[in-house]
PDB file of all heavy atoms in Angstrom:
ATOM      1  N   ARG A   1      24.733   6.636  -9.384  1.00  0.00           N
ATOM      2  CA  ARG A   1      25.321   5.511  -8.520  1.00  0.00           C
ATOM      3  C   ARG A   1      26.440   4.821  -9.304  1.00  0.00           C
ATOM      4  O   ARG A   1      26.644   5.017 -10.489  1.00  0.00           O
ATOM      5  CB  ARG A   1      24.247   4.468  -8.238  1.00  0.00           C
ATOM      6  CG  ARG A   1      23.782   3.626  -9.458  1.00  0.00           C
ATOM      7  CD  ARG A   1      22.827   2.576  -9.061  1.00  0.00           C
ATOM      8  NE  ARG A   1      22.120   1.966 -10.211  1.00  0.00           N
ATOM      9  CZ  ARG A   1      22.452   0.793 -10.771  1.00  0.00           C
ATOM     10  NH1 ARG A   1      23.495   0.110 -10.329  1.00  0.00           N
ATOM     11  NH2 ARG A   1      21.747   0.323 -11.782  1.00  0.00           N
ATOM     12  N   SER A   2      27.230   4.021  -8.527  1.00  0.00           N
ATOM     13  CA  SER A   2      28.347   3.337  -9.122  1.00  0.00           C
ATOM     14  C   SER A   2      28.458   1.968  -8.483  1.00  0.00           C
ATOM     15  O   SER A   2      28.249   1.827  -7.271  1.00  0.00           O
ATOM     16  CB  SER A   2      29.678   4.120  -8.893  1.00  0.00           C
ATOM     17  OG  SER A   2      30.764   3.415  -9.379  1.00  0.00           O
ATOM     18  N   VAL A   3      28.724   0.956  -9.331  1.00  0.00           N
ATOM     19  CA  VAL A   3      29.022  -0.388  -8.789  1.00  0.00           C
ATOM     20  C   VAL A   3      30.448  -0.435  -8.286  1.00  0.00           C
ATOM     21  O   VAL A   3      31.385  -0.055  -9.026  1.00  0.00           O
ATOM     22  CB  VAL A   3      28.809  -1.481  -9.872  1.00  0.00           C
ATOM     23  CG1 VAL A   3      28.978  -2.837  -9.261  1.00  0.00           C
ATOM     24  CG2 VAL A   3      27.519  -1.330 -10.572  1.00  0.00           C
ATOM     25  N   VAL A   4      30.680  -0.789  -7.005  1.00  0.00           N
ATOM     26  CA  VAL A   4      31.992  -0.768  -6.469  1.00  0.00           C
ATOM     27  C   VAL A   4      32.572  -2.122  -6.159  1.00  0.00           C
ATOM     28  O   VAL A   4      33.768  -2.318  -6.027  1.00  0.00           O
ATOM     29  CB  VAL A   4      32.089   0.095  -5.195  1.00  0.00           C
ATOM     30  CG1 VAL A   4      31.810   1.545  -5.489  1.00  0.00           C
ATOM     31  CG2 VAL A   4      31.156  -0.389  -4.082  1.00  0.00           C
ATOM     32  N   ASP A   5      31.693  -3.202  -6.148  1.00  0.00           N
ATOM     33  CA  ASP A   5      32.175  -4.553  -5.929  1.00  0.00           C
ATOM     34  C   ASP A   5      31.078  -5.522  -6.264  1.00  0.00           C
ATOM     35  O   ASP A   5      29.876  -5.157  -6.365  1.00  0.00           O
ATOM     36  CB  ASP A   5      32.672  -4.741  -4.516  1.00  0.00           C
ATOM     37  CG  ASP A   5      33.816  -5.744  -4.432  1.00  0.00           C
ATOM     38  OD1 ASP A   5      33.962  -6.536  -5.383  1.00  0.00           O
ATOM     39  OD2 ASP A   5      34.479  -5.794  -3.365  1.00  0.00           O
ATOM     40  N   GLN A   6      31.435  -6.812  -6.461  1.00  0.00           N
ATOM     41  CA  GLN A   6      30.461  -7.811  -6.691  1.00  0.00           C
ATOM     42  C   GLN A   6      30.966  -9.181  -6.125  1.00  0.00           C
ATOM     43  O   GLN A   6      32.150  -9.397  -6.071  1.00  0.00           O
ATOM     44  CB  GLN A   6      30.153  -7.940  -8.182  1.00  0.00           C
ATOM     45  CG  GLN A   6      31.330  -8.365  -9.060  1.00  0.00           C
ATOM     46  CD  GLN A   6      30.991  -8.447 -10.503  1.00  0.00           C
ATOM     47  OE1 GLN A   6      29.900  -8.818 -10.915  1.00  0.00           O
ATOM     48  NE2 GLN A   6      31.928  -8.092 -11.376  1.00  0.00           N
ATOM     49  N   ALA A   7      30.027 -10.034  -5.776  1.00  0.00           N
ATOM     50  CA  ALA A   7      30.314 -11.415  -5.513  1.00  0.00           C
ATOM     51  C   ALA A   7      29.609 -12.225  -6.607  1.00  0.00           C
ATOM     52  O   ALA A   7      28.377 -12.343  -6.573  1.00  0.00           O
ATOM     53  CB  ALA A   7      29.810 -11.828  -4.132  1.00  0.00           C
ATOM     54  N   GLU A   8      30.364 -12.674  -7.547  1.00  0.00           N
ATOM     55  CA  GLU A   8      29.777 -13.186  -8.800  1.00  0.00           C
ATOM     56  C   GLU A   8      29.230 -14.589  -8.613  1.00  0.00           C
ATOM     57  O   GLU A   8      29.851 -15.441  -7.985  1.00  0.00           O
ATOM     58  CB  GLU A   8      30.803 -13.150  -9.921  1.00  0.00           C
ATOM     59  CG  GLU A   8      30.247 -13.248 -11.284  1.00  0.00           C
ATOM     60  CD  GLU A   8      31.313 -13.015 -12.363  1.00  0.00           C
ATOM     61  OE1 GLU A   8      32.424 -12.502 -11.984  1.00  0.00           O
ATOM     62  OE2 GLU A   8      31.054 -13.306 -13.523  1.00  0.00           O
ATOM     63  N   SER A   9      28.077 -14.896  -9.196  1.00  0.00           N
ATOM     64  CA  SER A   9      27.468 -16.179  -9.234  1.00  0.00           C
ATOM     65  C   SER A   9      28.437 -17.189  -9.847  1.00  0.00           C
ATOM     66  O   SER A   9      29.232 -16.859 -10.744  1.00  0.00           O
ATOM     67  CB  SER A   9      26.141 -16.150  -9.982  1.00  0.00           C
ATOM     68  OG  SER A   9      25.679 -17.485 -10.206  1.00  0.00           O
ATOM     69  N   ARG A  10      28.275 -18.438  -9.489  1.00  0.00           N
ATOM     70  CA  ARG A  10      29.093 -19.490 -10.074  1.00  0.00           C
ATOM     71  C   ARG A  10      28.326 -20.223 -11.190  1.00  0.00           C
ATOM     72  O   ARG A  10      28.789 -21.165 -11.776  1.00  0.00           O
ATOM     73  CB  ARG A  10      29.552 -20.515  -9.003  1.00  0.00           C
ATOM     74  CG  ARG A  10      30.375 -19.900  -7.902  1.00  0.00           C
ATOM     75  CD  ARG A  10      30.843 -20.984  -6.896  1.00  0.00           C
ATOM     76  NE  ARG A  10      31.741 -20.433  -5.877  1.00  0.00           N
ATOM     77  CZ  ARG A  10      31.281 -20.005  -4.705  1.00  0.00           C
ATOM     78  NH1 ARG A  10      30.007 -20.142  -4.421  1.00  0.00           N
ATOM     79  NH2 ARG A  10      32.100 -19.502  -3.818  1.00  0.00           N
ATOM     80  N   GLN A  11      27.100 -19.736 -11.467  1.00  0.00           N
ATOM     81  CA  GLN A  11      26.320 -20.316 -12.567  1.00  0.00           C
ATOM     82  C   GLN A  11      26.966 -20.018 -13.894  1.00  0.00           C
ATOM     83  O   GLN A  11      27.538 -18.939 -14.108  1.00  0.00           O
ATOM     84  CB  GLN A  11      24.895 -19.746 -12.540  1.00  0.00           C
ATOM     85  CG  GLN A  11      24.082 -20.098 -11.303  1.00  0.00           C
ATOM     86  CD  GLN A  11      23.283 -21.380 -11.454  1.00  0.00           C
ATOM     87  OE1 GLN A  11      23.545 -22.161 -12.378  1.00  0.00           O
ATOM     88  NE2 GLN A  11      22.372 -21.607 -10.522  1.00  0.00           N
ATOM     89  N   PRO A  12      26.868 -20.976 -14.853  1.00  0.00           N
ATOM     90  CA  PRO A  12      27.411 -20.732 -16.206  1.00  0.00           C
ATOM     91  C   PRO A  12      26.764 -19.479 -16.848  1.00  0.00           C
ATOM     92  O   PRO A  12      27.423 -18.684 -17.509  1.00  0.00           O
ATOM     93  CB  PRO A  12      27.137 -22.002 -16.996  1.00  0.00           C
ATOM     94  CG  PRO A  12      26.953 -23.029 -15.953  1.00  0.00           C
ATOM     95  CD  PRO A  12      26.349 -22.363 -14.735  1.00  0.00           C
ATOM     96  N   LEU A  13      25.408 -19.383 -16.695  1.00  0.00           N
ATOM     97  CA  LEU A  13      24.690 -18.193 -17.168  1.00  0.00           C
ATOM     98  C   LEU A  13      24.411 -17.288 -15.966  1.00  0.00           C
ATOM     99  O   LEU A  13      23.683 -17.659 -15.051  1.00  0.00           O
ATOM    100  CB  LEU A  13      23.362 -18.632 -17.785  1.00  0.00           C
ATOM    101  CG  LEU A  13      22.449 -17.501 -18.301  1.00  0.00           C
ATOM    102  CD1 LEU A  13      23.122 -16.757 -19.433  1.00  0.00           C
ATOM    103  CD2 LEU A  13      21.104 -18.135 -18.722  1.00  0.00           C
ATOM    104  N   ARG A  14      25.064 -16.126 -15.928  1.00  0.00           N
ATOM    105  CA  ARG A  14      24.990 -15.272 -14.773  1.00  0.00           C
ATOM    106  C   ARG A  14      25.154 -13.825 -15.128  1.00  0.00           C
ATOM    107  O   ARG A  14      25.633 -13.456 -16.243  1.00  0.00           O
ATOM    108  CB  ARG A  14      26.087 -15.658 -13.764  1.00  0.00           C
ATOM    109  CG  ARG A  14      27.543 -15.525 -14.297  1.00  0.00           C
ATOM    110  CD  ARG A  14      28.572 -15.980 -13.314  1.00  0.00           C
ATOM    111  NE  ARG A  14      29.927 -15.843 -13.802  1.00  0.00           N
ATOM    112  CZ  ARG A  14      30.608 -16.792 -14.442  1.00  0.00           C
ATOM    113  NH1 ARG A  14      30.013 -17.985 -14.676  1.00  0.00           N
ATOM    114  NH2 ARG A  14      31.844 -16.617 -14.858  1.00  0.00           N
ATOM    115  N   ARG A  15      24.792 -12.961 -14.171  1.00  0.00           N
ATOM    116  CA  ARG A  15      25.018 -11.509 -14.307  1.00  0.00           C
ATOM    117  C   ARG A  15      26.418 -11.181 -13.887  1.00  0.00           C
ATOM    118  O   ARG A  15      26.902 -11.627 -12.830  1.00  0.00           O
ATOM    119  CB  ARG A  15      23.982 -10.760 -13.406  1.00  0.00           C
ATOM    120  CG  ARG A  15      24.291  -9.262 -13.241  1.00  0.00           C
ATOM    121  CD  ARG A  15      23.953  -8.561 -14.552  1.00  0.00           C
ATOM    122  NE  ARG A  15      23.773  -7.159 -14.363  1.00  0.00           N
ATOM    123  CZ  ARG A  15      24.563  -6.236 -14.880  1.00  0.00           C
ATOM    124  NH1 ARG A  15      25.635  -6.575 -15.590  1.00  0.00           N
ATOM    125  NH2 ARG A  15      24.294  -4.948 -14.734  1.00  0.00           N
ATOM    126  N   THR A  16      27.157 -10.420 -14.726  1.00  0.00           N
ATOM    127  CA  THR A  16      28.476  -9.971 -14.378  1.00  0.00           C
ATOM    128  C   THR A  16      28.538  -8.483 -14.603  1.00  0.00           C
ATOM    129  O   THR A  16      28.255  -7.975 -15.687  1.00  0.00           O
ATOM    130  CB  THR A  16      29.541 -10.686 -15.219  1.00  0.00           C
ATOM    131  OG1 THR A  16      29.493 -12.108 -14.983  1.00  0.00           O
ATOM    132  CG2 THR A  16      30.955 -10.155 -14.888  1.00  0.00           C
ATOM    133  N   TYR A  17      28.928  -7.742 -13.551  1.00  0.00           N
ATOM    134  CA  TYR A  17      29.076  -6.301 -13.697  1.00  0.00           C
ATOM    135  C   TYR A  17      30.437  -5.986 -14.354  1.00  0.00           C
ATOM    136  O   TYR A  17      31.508  -6.380 -13.858  1.00  0.00           O
ATOM    137  CB  TYR A  17      29.003  -5.589 -12.327  1.00  0.00           C
ATOM    138  CG  TYR A  17      27.625  -5.598 -11.755  1.00  0.00           C
ATOM    139  CD1 TYR A  17      27.265  -6.431 -10.737  1.00  0.00           C
ATOM    140  CD2 TYR A  17      26.667  -4.698 -12.184  1.00  0.00           C
ATOM    141  CE1 TYR A  17      26.006  -6.444 -10.208  1.00  0.00           C
ATOM    142  CE2 TYR A  17      25.363  -4.711 -11.651  1.00  0.00           C
ATOM    143  CZ  TYR A  17      25.042  -5.582 -10.630  1.00  0.00           C
ATOM    144  OH  TYR A  17      23.798  -5.571 -10.127  1.00  0.00           O
ATOM    145  N   THR A  18      30.412  -5.279 -15.463  1.00  0.00           N
ATOM    146  CA  THR A  18      31.590  -4.895 -16.189  1.00  0.00           C
ATOM    147  C   THR A  18      31.909  -3.428 -16.090  1.00  0.00           C
ATOM    148  O   THR A  18      32.971  -3.002 -16.571  1.00  0.00           O
ATOM    149  CB  THR A  18      31.517  -5.303 -17.685  1.00  0.00           C
ATOM    150  OG1 THR A  18      30.323  -4.586 -18.250  1.00  0.00           O
ATOM    151  CG2 THR A  18      31.308  -6.790 -17.848  1.00  0.00           C
ATOM    152  N   GLU A  19      30.984  -2.630 -15.474  1.00  0.00           N
ATOM    153  CA  GLU A  19      31.110  -1.169 -15.446  1.00  0.00           C
ATOM    154  C   GLU A  19      31.531  -0.656 -14.079  1.00  0.00           C
ATOM    155  O   GLU A  19      31.015   0.339 -13.586  1.00  0.00           O
ATOM    156  CB  GLU A  19      29.850  -0.464 -15.973  1.00  0.00           C
ATOM    157  CG  GLU A  19      28.611  -0.709 -15.085  1.00  0.00           C
ATOM    158  CD  GLU A  19      27.904  -1.984 -15.360  1.00  0.00           C
ATOM    159  OE1 GLU A  19      28.454  -3.031 -14.934  1.00  0.00           O
ATOM    160  OE2 GLU A  19      26.816  -1.966 -15.984  1.00  0.00           O
ATOM    161  N   ILE A  20      32.419  -1.410 -13.406  1.00  0.00           N
ATOM    162  CA  ILE A  20      32.764  -1.028 -12.042  1.00  0.00           C
ATOM    163  C   ILE A  20      33.351   0.430 -12.027  1.00  0.00           C
ATOM    164  O   ILE A  20      34.220   0.749 -12.851  1.00  0.00           O
ATOM    165  CB  ILE A  20      33.900  -1.973 -11.506  1.00  0.00           C
ATOM    166  CG1 ILE A  20      33.403  -3.425 -11.490  1.00  0.00           C
ATOM    167  CG2 ILE A  20      34.288  -1.552 -10.071  1.00  0.00           C
ATOM    168  CD1 ILE A  20      32.256  -3.700 -10.531  1.00  0.00           C
ATOM    169  N   GLY A  21      32.783   1.232 -11.186  1.00  0.00           N
ATOM    170  CA  GLY A  21      33.276   2.617 -11.036  1.00  0.00           C
ATOM    171  C   GLY A  21      32.619   3.630 -11.936  1.00  0.00           C
ATOM    172  O   GLY A  21      32.853   4.843 -11.794  1.00  0.00           O
ATOM    173  N   GLU A  22      31.831   3.188 -12.876  1.00  0.00           N
ATOM    174  CA  GLU A  22      31.233   4.134 -13.840  1.00  0.00           C
ATOM    175  C   GLU A  22      29.898   4.676 -13.260  1.00  0.00           C
ATOM    176  O   GLU A  22      29.143   3.911 -12.614  1.00  0.00           O
ATOM    177  CB  GLU A  22      30.952   3.431 -15.171  1.00  0.00           C
ATOM    178  CG  GLU A  22      32.220   3.015 -15.883  1.00  0.00           C
ATOM    179  CD  GLU A  22      31.942   2.406 -17.218  1.00  0.00           C
ATOM    180  OE1 GLU A  22      30.735   2.400 -17.690  1.00  0.00           O
ATOM    181  OE2 GLU A  22      32.849   1.815 -17.829  1.00  0.00           O
ATOM    182  N   PRO A  23      29.560   5.955 -13.508  1.00  0.00           N
ATOM    183  CA  PRO A  23      28.296   6.526 -13.008  1.00  0.00           C
ATOM    184  C   PRO A  23      27.087   5.945 -13.791  1.00  0.00           C
ATOM    185  O   PRO A  23      27.140   5.809 -15.042  1.00  0.00           O
ATOM    186  CB  PRO A  23      28.472   8.032 -13.206  1.00  0.00           C
ATOM    187  CG  PRO A  23      29.486   8.138 -14.311  1.00  0.00           C
ATOM    188  CD  PRO A  23      30.430   6.951 -14.174  1.00  0.00           C
ATOM    189  N   ILE A  24      26.040   5.598 -13.055  1.00  0.00           N
ATOM    190  CA  ILE A  24      24.823   5.046 -13.682  1.00  0.00           C
ATOM    191  C   ILE A  24      23.635   5.902 -13.162  1.00  0.00           C
ATOM    192  O   ILE A  24      23.530   6.094 -11.962  1.00  0.00           O
ATOM    193  CB  ILE A  24      24.633   3.580 -13.280  1.00  0.00           C
ATOM    194  CG1 ILE A  24      25.872   2.760 -13.697  1.00  0.00           C
ATOM    195  CG2 ILE A  24      23.341   3.028 -13.909  1.00  0.00           C
ATOM    196  CD1 ILE A  24      25.894   1.350 -13.141  1.00  0.00           C
ATOM    197  N   PRO A  25      22.778   6.328 -14.053  1.00  0.00           N
ATOM    198  CA  PRO A  25      21.571   7.093 -13.594  1.00  0.00           C
ATOM    199  C   PRO A  25      20.727   6.355 -12.573  1.00  0.00           C
ATOM    200  O   PRO A  25      20.588   5.119 -12.692  1.00  0.00           O
ATOM    201  CB  PRO A  25      20.802   7.398 -14.871  1.00  0.00           C
ATOM    202  CG  PRO A  25      21.842   7.231 -15.991  1.00  0.00           C
ATOM    203  CD  PRO A  25      22.784   6.226 -15.528  1.00  0.00           C
ATOM    204  N   LEU A  26      20.148   7.059 -11.606  1.00  0.00           N
ATOM    205  CA  LEU A  26      19.429   6.379 -10.547  1.00  0.00           C
ATOM    206  C   LEU A  26      18.130   5.686 -11.025  1.00  0.00           C
ATOM    207  O   LEU A  26      17.604   4.799 -10.387  1.00  0.00           O
ATOM    208  CB  LEU A  26      19.111   7.366  -9.399  1.00  0.00           C
ATOM    209  CG  LEU A  26      20.328   7.901  -8.694  1.00  0.00           C
ATOM    210  CD1 LEU A  26      19.856   8.769  -7.518  1.00  0.00           C
ATOM    211  CD2 LEU A  26      21.210   6.769  -8.111  1.00  0.00           C
ATOM    212  N   HIS A  27      17.565   6.231 -12.135  1.00  0.00           N
ATOM    213  CA  HIS A  27      16.241   5.650 -12.600  1.00  0.00           C
ATOM    214  C   HIS A  27      16.403   4.277 -13.297  1.00  0.00           C
ATOM    215  O   HIS A  27      15.419   3.662 -13.592  1.00  0.00           O
ATOM    216  CB  HIS A  27      15.540   6.661 -13.492  1.00  0.00           C
ATOM    217  CG  HIS A  27      16.155   6.794 -14.835  1.00  0.00           C
ATOM    218  ND1 HIS A  27      17.366   7.486 -15.072  1.00  0.00           N
ATOM    219  CD2 HIS A  27      15.771   6.336 -16.028  1.00  0.00           C
ATOM    220  CE1 HIS A  27      17.662   7.452 -16.341  1.00  0.00           C
ATOM    221  NE2 HIS A  27      16.718   6.752 -16.992  1.00  0.00           N
ATOM    222  N   GLN A  28      17.651   3.896 -13.611  1.00  0.00           N
ATOM    223  CA  GLN A  28      17.908   2.676 -14.304  1.00  0.00           C
ATOM    224  C   GLN A  28      18.280   1.528 -13.352  1.00  0.00           C
ATOM    225  O   GLN A  28      19.380   1.460 -12.846  1.00  0.00           O
ATOM    226  CB  GLN A  28      19.012   2.888 -15.338  1.00  0.00           C
ATOM    227  CG  GLN A  28      18.681   3.851 -16.417  1.00  0.00           C
ATOM    228  CD  GLN A  28      19.792   4.052 -17.440  1.00  0.00           C
ATOM    229  OE1 GLN A  28      20.833   3.395 -17.357  1.00  0.00           O
ATOM    230  NE2 GLN A  28      19.633   4.941 -18.364  1.00  0.00           N
ATOM    231  N   GLY A  29      17.323   0.640 -13.119  1.00  0.00           N
ATOM    232  CA  GLY A  29      17.591  -0.537 -12.335  1.00  0.00           C
ATOM    233  C   GLY A  29      17.283  -0.463 -10.864  1.00  0.00           C
ATOM    234  O   GLY A  29      17.085   0.652 -10.316  1.00  0.00           O
ATOM    235  N   ALA A  30      17.101  -1.581 -10.200  1.00  0.00           N
ATOM    236  CA  ALA A  30      16.706  -1.712  -8.853  1.00  0.00           C
ATOM    237  C   ALA A  30      17.629  -0.985  -7.871  1.00  0.00           C
ATOM    238  O   ALA A  30      17.163  -0.291  -6.970  1.00  0.00           O
ATOM    239  CB  ALA A  30      16.505  -3.109  -8.456  1.00  0.00           C
TER     240      ALA A  30
END
């Protein structure tokens, strides 16, 4: 899979995807 876009949280502590476009194995993550 690949992350192609995000709507980033406005919280100071938040998840930010930095690997846009990179392949990620399907067994890793929801």
Side-chain angles (χ1 to χ4, degrees):
R1 68 174 167 100
S2 176
V3 186
V4 295
D5 211 342
Q6 64 181 324
E8 198 171 344
S9 170
R10 298 185 179 94
Q11 296 270 13
L13 178 64
R14 61 183 181 267
R15 171 71 162 114
T16 299
Y17 288 103
T18 59
E19 64 277 74
I20 303 293
E22 296 181 9
I24 302 169
L26 294 185
H27 71 286
Q28 295 180 4

